[in-house]
Amino acid sequence: ETGVTQSPTHLIKTRGQQVTLRCSSQSGHNTVSWYQQALGQGPQFIFQYYREEENGRGNFPPRFSGLQFPNYSSELNVNALELDDSALYLCASSVRLAGLTDTQYFGPGTRLTVL
Amino acid sequence: AQSVAQPEDQVNVAEGNPLTVKCTYSVSGNPYLFWYVQYPNRGLQFLLKYITGDNLVKGSYGFEAEFNKSQTSFHLKKPSALVSDSALYFCAVRPGSGNTGKLIFGQGTTLQVKP
């Protein structure tokens, strides 16, 4: 098991609501990446946070936003939920040194269901 | 467009036989290549990576992968499969250009090892 934890484990929301997912990175890691994994698909990169700033973003609309805190933990916020947002949301932590990001270690994920 | 392909949705192998899970990629620059495994209702677990050097990379649980630059492939292998190896396997690539550490994943290959 990695030292990456995510909460909650499962979440059910209705369309139009807002949701916040949380991630605690592995000790010593300073970078957090978020991915969305739809059923039967590979994970899709949402964005990455380093030094509390967004450092790269995938093809996701602005209603997907995030934060990174001084202790390197992170939140993913999704506004105006849509049915297609139903997925497993994965957080990955890593070390970034000299401008390069090392291996990403994943948490167990949060299963979001939008009704 | 940058992409990763895992041409087989499922690979079936008898316990004790060698296994291969295929992966090809199309990205810019010199990519970093990874294999992850996902067990049901779990996050992704890191198996191995190729950055540079020897084309044969050894990883966790007896798995290894062979990098072939001319064929842009990074196939996962194991000399003797175990029933406990049955899981969903993802190949991922981090493009050589840029520094976000964004991973691009394949669609995944389900490995079934039968006793």
Side-chain angles (χ1 to χ4, degrees):
Chain A
E1 296 291 335
T2 70
V4 182
T5 61
Q6 292 186 243
S7 62
T9 305
H10 296 89
L11 203 52
I12 299 175
K13 292 286 188 178
T14 56
R15 196 170 45 181
Q17 285 188 311
Q18 176 266 342
V19 69
T20 297
L21 310 182
R22 295 178 175 83
C23 171
S24 291
S25 58
Q26 187 167 314
S27 177
H29 287 189
N30 58 11
T31 302
V32 174
S33 304
W34 286 92
Y35 292 82
Q36 180 195 66
Q37 185 180 14
L39 200 60
Q41 304 292 319
Q44 298 287 319
F45 176 74
I46 302 174
F47 43 53
Q48 184 180 85
Y49 276 82
Y50 171 66
R51 288 187 174 178
E52 303 177 47
E53 291 190 357
E54 186 178 292
N55 177 51
R57 188 179 186 92
N59 189 27
F60 282 82
R63 59 190 186 84
F64 285 78
S65 63
L67 287 171
Q68 186 182 32
F69 300 99
N71 66 354
Y72 306 124
S73 65
S74 177
E75 288 182 354
L76 165 65
N77 299 290
V78 186
N79 293 323
L81 283 168
E82 301 178 358
L83 297 180
D84 285 349
D85 295 334
S86 295
L88 180 67
Y89 288 84
L90 296 165
C91 163
S93 77
S94 54
V95 177
R96 181 173 168 177
L97 291 172
L100 294 176
T101 303
D102 203 350
T103 303
Q104 295 180 31
Y105 294 90
F106 286 79
T110 293
R111 173 73 62 188
L112 173 65
T113 301
V114 182
L115 302 176
Chain B
Q2 302 182 104
S3 63
V4 176
Q6 294 180 239
E8 303 152 317
D9 288 337
Q10 183 159 324
V11 170
N12 297 308
V13 171
E15 188 175 32
N17 283 0
L19 69 87
T20 298
V21 182
K22 296 179 180 177
C23 172
T24 59
Y25 64 90
S26 174
V27 297
S28 58
N30 294 314
Y32 293 8
L33 297 156
F34 301 82
W35 277 99
Y36 287 87
V37 61
Q38 187 174 36
Y39 294 96
N41 301 313
R42 302 283 293 276
L44 275 67
Q45 183 174 336
F46 170 71
L47 280 180
L48 51 80
K49 67 181 177 185
Y50 172 84
I51 296 177
T52 188
D54 193 348
N55 288 344
L56 185 64
V57 178
K58 295 189 182 297
S60 306
Y61 312 116
F63 283 95
E64 57 191 28
E66 187 168 12
F67 171 64
N68 187 315
K69 187 173 183 178
S70 63
Q71 297 185 4
T72 61
S73 66
F74 189 55
H75 300 332
L76 181 70
K77 301 182 180 185
K78 188 173 182 182
S80 178
L82 300 173
V83 172
S84 58
D85 293 330
S86 298
L88 182 58
Y89 290 80
F90 287 99
C91 178
V93 60
R94 196 180 90 205
S97 57
N99 63 5
T100 67
K102 163 187 175 180
L103 291 176
I104 301 170
F105 284 87
Q107 292 287 86
T109 298
T110 298
L111 174 64
Q112 275 283 8
V113 182
K114 299 192 174 179

